[in-house]
Amino acid sequence: MKKAILLILACVALSSCALKPIPSQFNFVKTNLEEVSLDSLGNGTIMVYNGANFLHKIDNTARLNIWIDEKPLGQIRPSEYVIINLKDGKRLFKAVHIDMVKMSSLHDVIVDAETKVIEIKPTVTSNKLTVTNAFPEKFEKFKYAEKR
């Protein structure tokens, strides 16, 4: 029994290595949660949020470092969002998180006038990106990501 507990503690300690934040080269559109509406998004103004689930939040593996077209967006922690301006066209998103090992993924996104909300979240084997154009559940619990 003691060996099992030690093994579990060792796994948690190894998987809780925090991902170092990267400095953003984007200008964030600063806003309060109360000011964010779907009507204010689109036409190049896009909200990107970290939709990590409970399992990634408890072991500190939900932090995502994100690049767009090889330009660092920065680190978005779980239940955080940023609002940025992106020109229309094909954009390459790169997302990285640590879950025992560094997991990196690439995602092609077509940005147009209708693109409003993008969810990025860590998964067990990689990262997932979805253009949702809708706010996440319990959006009132989200906060704006600060530049780190």
Side-chain angles (χ1 to χ4, degrees), residues 48-120:
V48 179
Y49 74 91
N50 184 337
N53 65 27
F54 176 74
L55 294 176
H56 283 283
K57 290 178 184 178
I58 62 171
D59 67 356
N60 202 23
T61 60
R63 297 175 183 191
L64 290 171
N65 283 349
I66 301 170
W67 291 260
I68 301 173
D69 295 332
E70 298 184 18
K71 183 177 174 183
L73 174 64
Q75 185 177 88
I76 303 178
R77 294 179 179 170
S79 299
E80 286 187 339
Y81 71 96
V82 297
I83 296 177
I84 57 172
N85 291 311
L86 283 179
K87 292 183 180 178
D88 288 356
K90 186 176 180 181
R91 302 281 165 245
L92 180 65
F93 281 68
K94 177 182 176 184
V96 174
H97 83 276
I98 295 179
D99 195 352
M100 297 292 250
V101 297
K102 190 181 265 187
M103 298 197 187
S104 178
S105 61
L106 298 174
H107 310 271
D108 286 322
V109 176
I110 303 296
V111 174
D112 59 23
E114 302 301 314
T115 307
K116 296 181 178 190
V117 180
I118 297 174
E119 175 192 39
I120 303 178

